[in-house]
Amino acid sequence: GTAADWGGFEDNVQVRGSAVIDMENMDDTSGSSFEDMGEMHQRMKEEEEEEEGEAGAADEEEDGEFLGMKGLRGQLGRQVADQMWQVGKRQASRAFSLYANIDILRPYFDVEPVQVRARLLESMIPVKMINFPQKIAGELYGPLMLVFTLVAILLHGMKTSDTIIREGTLMGTAIGTCFGYWLGVSSFIYFLAYLCNAQITMVQMLSLLGYGLFGHCITLFVTYNIHFHSLFYIFWLAVGGLSTLRMVAVLVSRTVGHTQRLILCGTLAVLHMLFLLYLHFAYHKVVEGILDTLEGPNMSPFQRVARDIPVVPNAVLNTTVKAVALTL
């Protein structure tokens, strides 16, 4: 070949060599690209696994938080239940100790005998000054003792009278009558005082009416032992009237308005004076009627009656004696 042919041949060889080199380069780049794709795929898998792990951790945290909330709610519920139980227990113990604790009632019975004696004498002396509220003792020792004294006087009057007492004593009836009057009338007058705008408390009303029974005790004690109706009427007007006037004057001093005073004081005076009449004249008969209703009419007590022994003939008696002698 000529030089030109050799030159063309060299050019072809160079072109082919460059093509081969390019193919080799392409092969190298393709291998690297495949490696890169694999690495990318591996990375994506790792990232997905990491995301799944993070999601699982987040779910576990959420589950833990949910369980923690449930546990917290349960703990709060138990604490609330325990607190409610403690509060209820404290209130129940306070309610029971209210009746068992004597310190609550001590101020109402903390009084000296000298003060009780002075208040008994004052209960028979009506006050003169009604322009300002009169002082009322807020204690219950004296009134309670007067109620028990009235019970004892009623029992004494039942024994000294012609009342037949059967199957036990009449203490229950006497206690019910005296305490019923004291508590019932005090509550009723306190209600009227509230309606009439009188300045008095329930404890003061109990004390005032309780000390007002001192005149009843004196009157009944004297007239149960001295049976004269004229003497009873004298004591009823004098002694019972003085104690009633004392209560009326105290209520008048604590009430504003003429109509209110008339209603309140008139009701108290009528009830107090009629109660004394009832205890003297009708109490024994009412108790006898109650006993007749509950136990039947009065029955005469059993008596021993002598029985007649029939007369035995002497012949039969002698025969019996001889038979007994022979046997012996």
Side-chain angles (χ1 to χ4, degrees):
T2 60
D5 294 333
W6 283 101
F9 177 74
E10 291 177 355
D11 293 333
N12 291 329
V13 171
Q14 290 177 358
V15 170
R16 290 178 180 176
S18 62
V20 172
I21 291 170
D22 292 335
M23 290 296 291
E24 290 178 355
N25 291 332
M26 287 180 66
D27 293 338
D28 293 338
T29 55
S30 64
S32 63
S33 64
F34 284 127
E35 289 176 357
D36 292 337
M37 289 296 291
E39 290 178 357
M40 290 176 64
H41 182 67
Q42 185 68 24
R43 286 179 182 176
M44 291 177 65
K45 285 183 69 177
E46 290 178 355
E47 289 178 357
E48 288 179 357
E49 290 178 356
E50 289 178 358
E51 290 178 356
E52 290 179 356
E54 291 178 357
D59 293 337
E60 289 179 358
E61 289 179 359
E62 290 179 358
D63 293 338
E65 290 178 357
F66 178 71
L67 292 175
M69 288 298 294
K70 288 180 68 177
L72 182 60
R73 291 176 182 174
Q75 186 176 3
L76 287 176
R78 288 193 298 271
Q79 289 180 357
V80 172
D82 292 339
Q83 187 175 3
M84 291 178 65
W85 169 259
Q86 293 296 332
V87 171
K89 183 179 179 181
R90 194 180 303 112
Q91 290 180 353
S93 62
R94 187 181 302 170
F96 282 111
S97 63
L98 178 64
Y99 298 98
N101 194 1
I102 197 171
D103 291 335
I104 299 175
L105 300 176
R106 183 174 296 174
Y108 303 109
F109 294 91
D110 189 9
V111 61
E112 297 293 334
V114 179
Q115 295 177 349
V116 174
R117 183 180 61 186
R119 287 166 185 170
L120 289 175
L121 295 176
E122 290 176 356
S123 66
M124 303 296 299
I125 303 174
V127 296
K128 297 180 180 180
M129 301 297 295
I130 58 174
N131 296 326
F132 58 92
Q134 296 293 323
K135 184 178 179 181
I136 301 176
E139 54 95 6
L140 300 177
Y141 175 78
L144 188 63
M145 293 300 105
L146 282 172
V147 173
F148 280 118
T149 304
L150 186 59
V151 170
I153 292 173
L154 289 179
L155 294 177
H156 173 70
M158 295 291 287
K159 292 180 180 180
T160 56
S161 64
D162 296 332
T163 304
I164 300 174
I165 301 175
R166 302 184 308 275
E167 295 185 4
T169 63
L170 301 175
M171 184 176 293
T173 307
I175 290 176
T177 302
C178 298
F179 276 92
Y181 172 78
W182 182 43
L183 299 176
V185 174
S186 297
S187 302
F188 180 67
I189 297 299
Y190 174 73
F191 176 71
L192 283 182
Y194 176 78
L195 295 180
C196 297
N197 198 19
Q199 302 298 322
I200 190 170
T201 62
M202 185 63 190
V203 176
Q204 291 176 342
M205 190 66 234
L206 287 171
S207 178
L208 182 65
L209 187 62
Y211 277 110
L213 293 175
F214 181 58
H216 288 33
C217 293
I218 296 175
T219 302
L220 293 177
F221 181 75
V222 173
T223 56
Y224 278 162
N225 293 286
I226 304 175
H227 302 282
F228 290 109
H229 292 297
S230 59
L231 182 64
F232 168 76
Y233 287 118
I234 293 173
F235 273 83
W236 179 67
L237 290 174
V239 182
L242 287 176
S243 61
T244 305
L245 284 177
R246 168 73 183 189
M247 293 189 296
V248 167
V250 172
L251 286 180
V252 167
S253 67
R254 289 176 170 265
T255 308
V256 178
H258 296 287
T259 305
Q260 291 84 351
R261 288 177 176 178
L262 182 62
I263 294 173
L264 183 62
C265 300
T267 304
L268 178 59
V270 170
L271 290 176
H272 201 63
M273 297 298 286
L274 288 180
F275 181 65
L276 184 55
L277 287 175
Y278 165 76
L279 291 180
H280 182 78
F281 291 106
Y283 174 72
H284 298 169
K285 296 180 180 179
V286 170
V287 172
E288 288 181 356
I290 293 174
L291 291 177
D292 292 339
T293 303
L294 296 177
E295 303 175 1
N298 294 335
M299 300 294 295
S300 60
F302 292 103
Q303 296 179 356
R304 295 183 179 273
V305 180
R307 293 181 298 174
D308 296 333
I309 301 176
V311 180
V312 181
N314 293 330
V316 177
L317 183 60
N318 294 330
T319 304
T320 304
V321 173
K322 290 179 180 178
V324 172
L326 292 173
T327 304
L328 295 174

